[in-house]
């Protein structure tokens, strides 16, 4: 029985350690004490959920961050269809890496410009309440589209917060399994065939703000997809973000790499925490 227990323990632990090792070996340097203190006070991290989902899908990652001591403040921003935003949560006396979980009431809207507007409304409402000037953005599935279109449509506006880091999880930038065919990508992440959404997203190559570190996490359950999104579709993000300060990919394999399981995966938690709150930037790939 002890042997079986040990086997199960290492089966769960080794993938997490390997993910952390892979990430750390690609990172340039840890944050200095001064950088950590500045970030803890001035940078807010937003989480955006996927299609048909809610704030509940983001809570595992936020709770993991709190338990690891990376953050002491988690608020919720609920965006109504008319753009009004209600923020729930108590402000910490000494905030450390505040997290805002964003929820869209209109959570099945395939109009990505509208989703980007919802994201923008959440950011501005939180900015008014918290008074921050810098932010990190984390999206899962369609949440990545909300982030991308918010950047395309609103990042040039006055007082738009400076984006420091962006994490894309299970992004479907150029196709979804069962709806479109998989398209190969080249070494730069450029798809051989672009769907209409991706063609529009290419605007990011011109308007994407400079100085952003990007982490792209995708899952592979064994068929070059996470079951819902092709790996090539997720990895095509690279071609769009040529102005990024750095770009790094992490692949999660096995059952934990399934599309909906990625936001409740300890390997993802580990990679997120290292990237967002422990290192300054990662090398381009």
């Amino acid at each position: 029985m002890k042997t079986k227990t040990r086997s199960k323990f290492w089966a769960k632990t080794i993938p997490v350690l390997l993910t952390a090792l892979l990430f750390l070996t690609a990172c340039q340097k840890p944050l200095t004490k001064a950088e950590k203190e500045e970030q803890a006070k001035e940078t807010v991290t937003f989480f955006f959920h996927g299609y048909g989902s809610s704030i509940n899908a983001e809570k595992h990652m936020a709770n993991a961050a709190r338990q690891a001591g990376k953050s002491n403040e988690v608020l919720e921003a609920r965006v109504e269809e008319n753009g009004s935003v209600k923020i729930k949560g108590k402000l910490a006396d000494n905030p450390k890496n505040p997290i805002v979980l964003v929820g869209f009431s209109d959570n099945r809207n395939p109009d990505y410009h509208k989703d980007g507007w919802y994201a923008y409304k959440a950011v501005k409402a939180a900015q008014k309440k918290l008074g921050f000037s810098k932010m990190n953005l984390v999206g899962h599935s369609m949440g990545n589209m909300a982030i991308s279109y918010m950047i395309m449509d609103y990042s040039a506006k006055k007082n738009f917060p400076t984006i420091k880091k962006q994490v894309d999880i299970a992004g479907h930038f150029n196709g979804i399994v069962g709806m479109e065919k998989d398209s190969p990508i080249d070494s730069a992440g450029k798809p051989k065939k672009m769907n209409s959404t991706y063609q529009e997203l290419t605007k990011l190559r011109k308007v994407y703000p400079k100085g952003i570190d990007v982490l792209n996490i995708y899952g592979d359950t064994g068929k070059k997809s996470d079951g819902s999104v092709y790996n090539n579709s997720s990895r095509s993000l690279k071609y769009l973000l040529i102005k990024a300060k750095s770009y790094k990919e992490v692949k999660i394999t096995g059952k934990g790499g399934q599309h909906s399981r990625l936001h409740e995966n300890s390997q993802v938690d580990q990679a997120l925490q290292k990237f967002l709150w422990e290192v300054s930037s990662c090398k381009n790939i």
Side-chain angles (χ1 to χ4, degrees):
M1 292 295 290
K2 289 183 178 180
T3 302
K4 290 184 178 179
T5 301
R6 288 173 181 170
S7 298
K8 289 182 179 179
F9 171 78
W10 287 113
K12 293 181 179 180
T13 304
I14 289 175
V16 176
L17 293 175
L18 289 175
T19 300
L21 180 62
L22 174 66
F23 184 84
L24 287 173
T25 54
C27 292
Q28 293 180 2
K29 59 181 180 178
L31 289 171
T32 65
K33 183 179 179 180
E35 287 173 330
K36 285 183 179 180
E37 292 177 349
E38 179 184 0
Q39 175 181 265
K41 295 178 181 178
E42 298 182 3
T43 306
V44 173
T45 299
F46 290 86
F47 284 78
F48 297 91
H49 61 71
Y51 183 85
S53 191
S54 69
I55 283 174
N56 290 332
E58 305 159 2
K59 289 182 177 179
H60 170 89
M61 293 181 286
N63 289 335
R66 292 187 70 170
Q67 291 171 8
K70 305 303 179 186
S71 174
N72 67 350
E73 183 174 11
V74 178
L75 295 89
E76 298 180 1
R78 298 182 182 274
V79 187
E80 299 301 325
E81 193 169 354
N82 64 2
S84 63
V85 181
K86 293 181 179 179
I87 296 180
K88 176 183 177 183
K90 185 179 179 181
L91 297 175
D93 293 332
N94 296 300
K96 178 182 179 182
N97 300 324
I99 292 173
V100 177
L101 307 181
V102 180
F104 298 158
S105 176
D106 183 20
N107 64 354
R108 297 178 184 273
N109 194 326
D111 181 347
Y112 298 139
H113 287 287
K114 191 69 175 289
D115 297 329
W117 181 68
Y118 290 149
Y120 175 69
K121 285 292 187 179
V123 166
K124 294 304 292 183
Q127 186 180 33
K128 182 177 181 180
K129 185 177 182 70
L130 302 176
F132 61 91
S133 59
K134 302 173 185 178
M135 65 180 177
N136 300 323
L137 304 172
V138 181
H140 174 262
S141 193
M142 198 180 76
N144 298 299
M145 290 300 193
I147 290 173
S148 296
Y149 277 76
M150 173 178 67
I151 291 173
M152 281 201 301
D153 295 345
Y154 302 101
S155 64
K157 284 187 171 292
K158 185 178 180 180
N159 296 326
F160 186 82
T162 299
I163 304 170
K164 301 301 293 182
K165 297 184 179 184
Q166 177 179 332
V167 181
D168 296 84
I169 305 171
H172 50 83
F173 306 101
N174 190 46
I176 299 174
V177 174
M179 295 182 66
E180 293 149 305
K181 292 184 179 180
D182 190 9
S183 174
I185 58 174
D186 63 18
S187 60
K190 183 179 181 180
K192 184 176 181 180
K193 184 177 181 180
M194 302 178 184
N195 65 15
S196 58
T197 297
Y198 194 88
Q199 290 174 24
E200 188 171 28
L201 284 171
T202 57
K203 181 182 177 182
L204 284 170
R205 289 172 58 83
K206 294 182 178 180
V207 305
Y208 194 74
K210 295 181 179 180
I212 304 175
D213 294 312
V214 180
L215 175 63
N216 189 7
I217 301 175
Y218 63 97
D220 187 348
T221 56
K223 296 183 179 179
K224 297 182 179 180
S225 80
D226 63 14
S228 298
V229 179
Y230 302 113
N231 290 167
N232 285 330
S233 179
S234 295
R235 298 182 65 211
S236 65
L237 174 67
K238 181 180 179 181
Y239 179 71
L240 302 173
L241 307 187
I242 58 171
K243 289 187 176 182
K245 179 181 178 182
S246 68
Y247 176 88
K248 173 76 174 63
E249 293 179 353
V250 169
K251 179 170 72 171
I252 307 296
T253 59
K255 292 182 179 180
Q258 192 273 336
H259 188 75
S260 297
R261 292 184 179 181
L262 282 168
H263 56 66
E264 296 184 357
N265 185 303
S266 58
Q267 290 175 263
V268 174
D269 295 336
Q270 187 92 358
L272 273 177
Q273 291 167 25
K274 293 286 184 184
F275 177 74
L276 291 174
W277 299 300
E278 295 182 22
V279 297
S280 58
S281 64
C282 291
K283 297 177 181 178
N284 287 302
I285 60 170

